[in-house]
Amino acid sequence: MAHVKGQARLSRSRGGDYFMYFIMFFFGIIFAIPLYYTVLNSFKPLNELSIFPPRFYVVNPTTEHYTLMLRLLSSSKIPFSRYLFNTIFITIVGTVGSIIIASVAAYPLAKHEFAGKSFLYNVIVWAMMFSGEVTSIPSYLIVTGLGLYNTYWSIFLPNWSGTGNVFLMRQFMEANIPGAVVEAAKIDGSNEWNIYWRIVMPNVKPAWLTLIIFNFGGYWGSGAGYINIEEMKLLPTAIGQITSAGMTRAGAGCAVGVFMLVPPLILFLFSQSAIMETMSTAGLK
Amino acid sequence: MIKFKKKKSAILERNRPISYMMVGPWALMFIVFGVVPVIAGIFLSFTSYDMLNTPKFVGIDNFIRLLIDDDIFTIALKNTLIMAIVTGPLGYLLNFVFAWGINESPKKVRNLLTFLFYAPSLGGSLVFIFQLIFSGDSYGLLNGFLLEYGLIDSPIQWLTDKDYCFTIVIVVSLWLSCGTGFLTFLAGLQSLNREYSEAGAIDGIRNRWQELFYITLPQMRPQLLYGAVGTISGSFGAGSLNAALTGNPSTDYCTHTISLHLGDCAFTKLEMGYAGAITIVLFAMMLTYWFFVNKALQRWSTD
C-alpha cells in the first residue's frame, strides 16, 4: 500500500497545521473520555466513586472491583466460567465460519465469470443497507420455523448469511489477486479448491484479519437473542446482572466493561495496518 | 481503485458448475435469512397474525392503522427521521473530518488517533459508562461538572427528562459512530494517488481546503458511497442504543424509534402482521433515502 511519506507537503500552511492539530487533539480527548473513565472507575475505591464532584483521577487505586466481579460472577446460579466458555465458543466457531463461508463465496465473485455474477454483486450491495433490526420480525419466524430456537445455529446462520463479509472479501480479492496467477495455476492443473486454499487465501491475509476483527467484536459482545436456556446464555447476560444493580456496583460494572473491551481492542491494535489495507479496497463503484 | 481488465481467455471459462458450488452455501443461507424474511414481511403486512392462529388476510388495514391511528408510530417515525436526516449525515461528516484530520496529522500519532476514535464503537459494552456520565444524580460526570462550575443549580435527569433524553442519545450515537465507515475513509485517504495532489499544487491549488475539494473528495467516491450504505443501515435501524440508555419505553416515548416500535408490536403485543407493515414502511423509507443519497453523491463527484 502506498503510505504517505513524512516529507514536507506542498500547499500546507503552518497555521492550518496547528488548527488541524488543535481540532484533532480536542476531539481525541473527547473520544477518549468514555474509555478513560471506564478504566479509571474500575480502579477507584468505593469512597472515591461517590465523591462529589466526580474526579478525573484516582488517589488510592484498588483492584477490589475485579475481585468483586469474579466473586459475583462465580456466586451466581450458573458459574461465570460457563458464560465465558459459551462466548468463547461462539466467537471462535462463528468467526471461523464467517470467514470461510464468505471467502469461498467471494473468490468466484471476484475471479470467475458466470451468469448472474453481477446480479449477485448488486444484491450484496443492496442488502448491506438493511441491518438485521429491520428484518428481525420475519427472521424470528424463520428461526423458530426451522427449529433453531435455543440452539447456537440461531446465532451462526443469520450472521454467516450476511453480505458485509462477502463484499469486503470480494473487493480485496478483485484488487489484489492478479487474474494471471489464477490462470497459471489452472494451466498447471490445480483444481479450484486448491487455487482457493493455496493461492487466494494466503494472498488475502489482510482481508481475513480485518474480518476477524469485525466479526470477533460482534460475536464477543453478542447477546443471546434466540436463546432462552440459562446454561447456553452468553457473557453480556452475566454482565447485565452485575451492571443492573446501579451505582453501588458502578466500580464492578466498569471492571466488567474493561474485561469486555480488552480482547477486541488488543486484536485491533495488532492488525491495524492489515485493516487499513483491506478497507482501502472497500469502495463502491 | 485498481481495475483489472476482464480478459476473455480460453482458460477462464464461463459458467462452470464450480463457481456456483462455491457461491452456493453462502447464497443458500442468504436466501433463507436475507431474502425470505423480506418476502415474508411483505406477505405478513397484509394479514393479521398472532403466531397462534393462521394468518388472516386483512388487505391494507395495517397500513391504514399505522398512518392514521398509531400515535406512538408517529413519534417513532419522527425520531427515526431525525436519526436518518440529522444524526446520520452529521456522524458521516464527522467520520470523514476525523479520517481526514488523522491523515493530515504527523505519522507518529496517526495510529494512536485512529485507535482513540475507533475504540468506542468497538466496545458495545461501553453503554454502561455513558449511563454513569449522564447519570441523573450529582455523581454523574456531566451533572457533577455543571454543578461544580455553577452552571446549573440542581442535577438534570439527562436520560429520563423528555427535554434532554433524545439529545443525549444523539450525542452518544455520534460518540459511537466511528466504525467501519470511518476506517474506510481513512484507508481510502491513505491510498490516494499522491501524484494528483502534487500536480494540483503545481497547477495552483493553494491550500489544503482547495486540495480537499478539488482533488481528494472527487477520488473518494467509492469510499463515500460505502460509508453512506453503512450510515443508512445504522440510522434507520437505530434503537438498541436508545433502549439501553433511556429504557424501553422511554419517558413519553421520547427516544422511541421505528425499530423499537417494530419489536414492541411483534414480541410484546404479538401483532406480527402489523409489525410486518412497519417493516415494509421502514424498507420503503430506506430505499427512497438511498436513491437520493446515491444521486447526490454521483452528481457531486464525477470521476
Side-chain angles (χ1 to χ4, degrees):
Chain A
M1 276 301 107
H3 281 291
V4 180
K5 301 244 163 50
Q7 80 241 35
R9 294 195 190 182
L10 299 162
S11 65
R12 290 292 183 278
S13 69
R14 251 308 139 75
D17 275 345
Y18 290 140
F19 176 70
M20 284 304 304
Y21 298 163
F22 171 74
I23 296 281
M24 293 313 287
F25 182 73
F26 177 75
F27 279 104
I29 300 254
I30 290 189
F31 271 74
I33 288 175
L35 271 179
Y36 174 74
Y37 202 52
T38 311
V39 177
L40 179 77
N41 276 357
S42 75
F43 290 110
K44 273 186 190 170
L46 226 56
N47 60 339
E48 282 188 53
L49 274 172
S50 46
I51 280 176
F52 171 82
R55 278 187 190 152
F56 245 23
Y57 56 91
V58 50
V59 182
N60 297 307
T62 169
T63 54
E64 68 186 58
H65 300 304
Y66 289 90
T67 44
L68 175 66
M69 166 181 95
L70 293 175
R71 210 173 53 241
L72 281 173
L73 289 168
S74 53
S75 65
S76 56
K77 199 169 63 194
I78 287 153
F80 176 58
S81 54
R82 182 77 222 176
Y83 296 106
L84 182 64
F85 172 81
N86 289 346
T87 284
I88 292 176
F89 173 78
I90 69 135
T91 302
I92 292 175
V93 176
T95 305
V96 170
S98 288
I99 289 167
I100 291 181
I101 285 159
S103 57
V104 169
Y107 165 55
L109 282 169
K111 291 289 147 195
H112 288 182
E113 289 298 327
F114 58 95
K117 182 174 121 162
S118 60
F119 171 74
L120 264 177
Y121 176 76
N122 287 327
V123 168
I124 287 172
V125 172
W126 277 96
M128 281 197 300
M129 232 183 310
F130 302 106
S131 58
E133 286 94 354
V134 181
T135 54
S136 62
I137 309 311
S139 302
Y140 170 77
L141 296 177
I142 285 163
V143 165
T144 45
L146 291 174
L148 301 178
Y149 198 81
N150 280 337
T151 69
Y152 285 137
W153 292 111
S154 69
I155 296 175
F156 295 144
L157 293 178
N159 273 307
W160 291 348
S161 71
T163 54
N165 292 334
V166 181
F167 176 78
L168 285 181
M169 268 288 174
R170 182 220 169 258
Q171 297 298 86
F172 195 76
M173 287 175 179
E174 170 104 66
N176 288 284
I177 309 279
V181 175
V182 175
E183 287 185 33
K186 250 174 246 179
I187 296 168
D188 290 346
S190 299
N191 73 35
E192 289 292 350
W193 295 103
N194 257 323
I195 295 173
Y196 159 76
W197 190 246
R198 291 182 197 287
I199 294 168
V200 176
M201 281 307 265
N203 280 301
V204 295
K205 265 187 200 149
W208 33 280
L209 273 173
T210 306
L211 293 195
I212 287 175
I213 305 297
F214 290 173
N215 287 279
F216 182 94
Y219 288 112
W220 180 251
S222 161
Y226 297 124
I227 290 165
N228 222 348
I229 299 172
E230 201 56 39
E231 289 82 30
M232 285 180 70
K233 285 194 176 169
L234 305 166
L235 217 40
T237 309
I239 279 154
Q241 289 162 3
I242 291 185
T243 52
S244 63
M247 200 53 208
T248 48
R249 296 271 172 79
C254 289
V256 164
V258 172
F259 179 77
M260 286 299 285
L261 267 169
V262 164
L265 285 184
I266 288 182
L267 262 178
F268 176 72
L269 277 179
F270 279 110
S271 40
Q272 207 170 341
S273 61
I275 294 178
M276 285 299 124
E277 205 177 321
T278 309
M279 299 317 280
S280 70
T281 63
L284 280 174
K285 280 174 205 139
Chain B
M1 278 308 93
I2 310 162
K3 267 184 189 165
F4 285 104
K5 288 215 177 76
K6 277 181 189 146
K7 276 182 257 165
K8 292 268 162 25
S9 76
I11 298 149
L12 212 64
E13 309 147 82
R14 295 175 56 89
N15 297 335
R16 288 166 309 148
I18 183 78
S19 304
Y20 296 101
M21 269 170 66
M22 292 181 116
V23 180
W26 167 77
L28 184 68
M29 281 188 277
F30 175 71
I31 289 169
V32 174
F33 293 98
V35 179
V36 175
V38 176
I39 296 168
I42 295 174
F43 167 76
L44 274 177
S45 68
F46 297 106
T47 67
S48 165
Y49 179 43
D50 60 2
M51 298 193 48
L52 302 168
N53 306 304
T54 38
K56 198 171 100 230
F57 182 76
V58 294
I60 58 166
D61 282 6
N62 287 328
F63 292 95
I64 293 172
R65 185 179 141 205
L66 190 59
L67 298 175
I68 294 170
D69 271 349
D70 192 340
D71 294 339
I72 302 169
F73 177 75
T74 317
I75 301 174
L77 178 69
K78 191 195 82 197
N79 287 341
T80 302
L81 284 176
I82 292 177
M83 285 298 225
I85 292 168
V86 182
T87 320
L90 192 59
Y92 182 77
L93 189 72
L94 282 181
N95 277 204
F96 186 83
V97 170
F98 293 153
W100 185 64
I102 289 174
N103 200 44
E104 296 275 306
S105 298
K107 211 174 173 190
K108 276 172 280 181
V109 298
R110 274 186 216 159
N111 278 357
L112 174 70
L113 283 173
T114 309
F115 178 79
L116 281 183
F117 285 107
Y118 183 63
S121 64
L122 244 189
S125 41
L126 272 182
V127 172
F128 174 66
I129 204 69
F130 288 110
Q131 282 170 335
L132 276 186
I133 293 176
F134 296 110
S135 167
D137 50 39
S138 53
Y139 302 118
L141 192 58
L142 182 59
N143 274 335
F145 177 81
L146 293 175
L147 285 167
E148 167 83 347
Y149 289 95
L151 296 168
I152 51 172
D153 300 326
S154 55
I156 294 176
Q157 301 291 325
W158 299 108
L159 299 174
T160 47
D161 188 323
K162 65 181 166 47
D163 291 336
Y164 296 106
C165 60
F166 194 51
T167 315
I168 299 296
V169 167
I170 288 177
V171 169
V172 175
S173 54
L174 289 177
W175 223 317
L176 300 175
S177 68
C178 288
T180 44
F182 161 73
L183 292 180
T184 312
F185 295 158
L186 189 57
L189 287 166
Q190 290 183 355
S191 57
L192 285 184
N193 193 338
R194 290 273 294 151
E195 282 166 21
Y196 287 144
S197 36
E198 271 148 30
I202 295 162
D203 284 348
I205 295 282
R206 287 201 313 278
N207 55 44
R208 78 189 75 215
W209 316 107
Q210 287 184 349
E211 184 183 307
L212 175 67
F213 283 102
Y214 296 115
I215 297 180
T216 307
L217 281 172
Q219 288 184 74
M220 290 280 292
R221 201 182 87 196
Q223 285 86 9
L224 292 175
L225 276 174
Y226 178 78
V229 170
T231 303
I232 291 174
S233 123
S235 43
F236 280 96
S240 53
L241 176 71
N242 308 30
L245 277 178
T246 62
N248 186 21
S250 44
T251 316
D252 291 346
Y253 294 96
C254 62
T255 70
H256 215 54
T257 61
I258 298 186
S259 161
L260 287 176
H261 196 48
L262 197 63
D264 280 355
C265 292
F267 301 121
T268 315
K269 299 180 193 148
L270 290 181
E271 294 180 311
M272 288 295 178
Y274 191 57
I278 299 176
T279 308
I280 300 307
V281 170
L282 191 52
F283 249 82
M285 283 167 56
M286 285 166 94
L287 288 180
T288 319
Y289 195 77
W290 171 242
F291 176 79
F292 285 113
V293 168
N294 198 6
K295 267 268 152 59
L297 280 173
Q298 225 134 27
R299 180 174 310 173
W300 170 69
S301 60
T302 39
D303 44 359

